[in-house]
Amino acid sequence: MSDKDATETTGADAAGIARAAEILRSGGLVAVPTETVYGLAARADSEEAVAKIYAAKGRPSINPLIVHIASLEQARSLAEFVGHAEEVAAAAWPGALTLVLPRKADAGLASAVSAGLPTIAIRMPAHPTMRALIEASGFPLAAPSANRSNAISPTSAEHVLATLEGRVDLVLDGGTAEKGLESTILAIRHDGSWEELRPGPVDVSLLHQHFFDRPLRPTKAKNGIEAPGQMQRHYSPGKPVRLNAREAASGEFLIGFGAIAGQCSLSESGDLGEAAARLYACLHQAAEAEQPNIAIAPIPDEGVGKAVNDRLRRAAA
Ligand code: TXA
Ligand code: MG
């Protein structure tokens, strides 16, 4: 769509999903809630439709997309389930885990989806709206987070409209995303080895311990070669960000946690799951506040707090 076209918003009910499926079938773009963040969906089997995702986001064409599926059968038609992939999928799907696996030659996907890589990122989401939409449209859906490239990820329909109004045909408003952080990304190689490409709501180290009886060794951060979305500067609120702040300095909007209150609190009770769910809402609020700077209270680096700190480091870079 062109910049001046209006974006429709509708509820995530049966009528909204039917309308969204119709738009997707004709090659359009739909923003849709998932349990992690809102996705910007297009049919994954169409070069033209996938090209619209990159254009709407201003996303570099070297940064591949996640393909969302509603059944294991659909997943197996796209990728080779090497190593423990079948068991991992059985344990974590539907849910907030994306698997990067060797891509099948006859997967029938637009080549832009995996940006020339021999692998494909796939996820079976748990959110009923996203699942219903994949089923109603009848093909896998390519969907990055529904924000302009490098901006803060959206956990509500309002966040989507803040950067994509006029760039997406329809927004399905399904309320606030429950997890609030993008999926964990785990690559499983031909030789069965694992690599965590992005920390997220699913604890990959626990899964690794279960299958291999030892924790996953962290890999050295690569400079965006394999997962370009992991580049240092990402999730930018557009203002300088100071981490581990105990109080606000002058000109700072303070995002609190636990006993540190702030103008927006990630979790007054110090709950890390709640902090993950509220992170982007607080960052959006801080971005819009009058203060020119943002300060953020320290977050314990354990459990999903690791994924929160990963996003905070990128917001501050
Ligand atoms: O929770 C999520 O994962 C959300 C919802 C909508 O599903 N999606 C999301 O997509 O966060 P996006 O595009 O913002 O992040 C996808 C990440 C990027 O860092 C990209 O580089 C990486 O996945 N990626 C995609 N395909 C890959 C591949 N074949 N190999 C390695 N990394 C890949
Ligand atoms: Mg993103």
Side-chain angles (χ1 to χ4, degrees), residues 57 59 144-145 147 153 182 198 234-235:
K57 282 186 62 98
R59 182 173 178 114
S145 52
N147 52 276
S153 291
E182 303 84 352
R198 178 174 73 186
H234 206 62
Y235 313 102

Side-chain angles (χ1 to χ4, degrees), residues 38-51:
Y38 275 65
L40 179 62
R43 56 188 298 169
D45 61 349
S46 157
E47 294 289 354
E48 280 119 355
V50 169

Side-chain angles (χ1 to χ4, degrees), residues 12-14 17-18 21 32 70 125-138 141 172:
D13 51 13
I17 289 166
V32 52
H127 198 289
T129 302
M130 183 53 147
R131 291 179 68 86
L133 186 58
I134 301 167
E135 278 160 14
S137 49
L141 296 179
L172 280 175

Side-chain angles (χ1 to χ4, degrees), residues 110-285:
S111 60
V113 166
S114 44
L117 294 171
T119 51
I120 182 79
I122 7 183
R123 179 163 92 86
M124 187 193 291
H127 198 289
T129 302
M130 183 53 147
R131 291 179 68 86
L133 186 58
I134 301 167
E135 278 160 14
S137 49
F139 30 72
L141 296 179
S145 52
N147 52 276
R148 290 277 287 171
S149 199
N150 289 331
I152 307 163
S153 291
T155 52
S156 69
E158 296 76 59
H159 292 167
V160 174
L161 292 169
T163 65
L164 292 179
E165 171 116 62
R167 297 178 163 270
V168 47
D169 296 296
L170 176 74
V171 181
L172 280 175
D173 187 346
T176 304
E178 178 205 334
K179 303 276 182 204
L181 275 191
E182 303 84 352
S183 61
T184 305
I185 305 183
L186 167 65
I188 304 185
R189 311 299 183 192
H190 270 294
D191 66 2
S193 65
W194 290 21
E195 190 180 348
E196 183 179 54
L197 300 179
R198 178 174 73 186
V202 170
D203 191 333
V204 153
S205 201
L206 279 182
L207 278 175
H208 194 275
Q209 181 77 44
H210 174 74
F211 289 111
F212 296 94
D213 203 24
R214 61 189 146 81
L216 179 64
R217 237 182 323 132
T219 38
K220 230 178 44 205
K222 274 190 272 189
N223 202 8
I225 297 146
E226 167 133 21
Q230 291 309 89
M231 285 182 286
Q232 265 307 319
R233 194 179 156 282
H234 206 62
Y235 313 102
S236 169
K239 294 177 179 181
V241 174
R242 182 168 70 91
L243 302 179
N244 298 316
R246 305 210 160 259
E247 55 194 44
S250 119
E252 280 180 343
F253 180 100
L254 178 64
I255 297 178
F257 177 81
I260 300 173
Q263 281 102 320
C264 183
S265 176
L266 294 178
S267 169
E268 283 172 15
S269 66
D271 180 88
L272 289 172
E274 186 184 11
R278 290 183 44 75
L279 175 65
Y280 291 134
C282 279
L283 281 174
H284 276 276
Q285 202 182 315

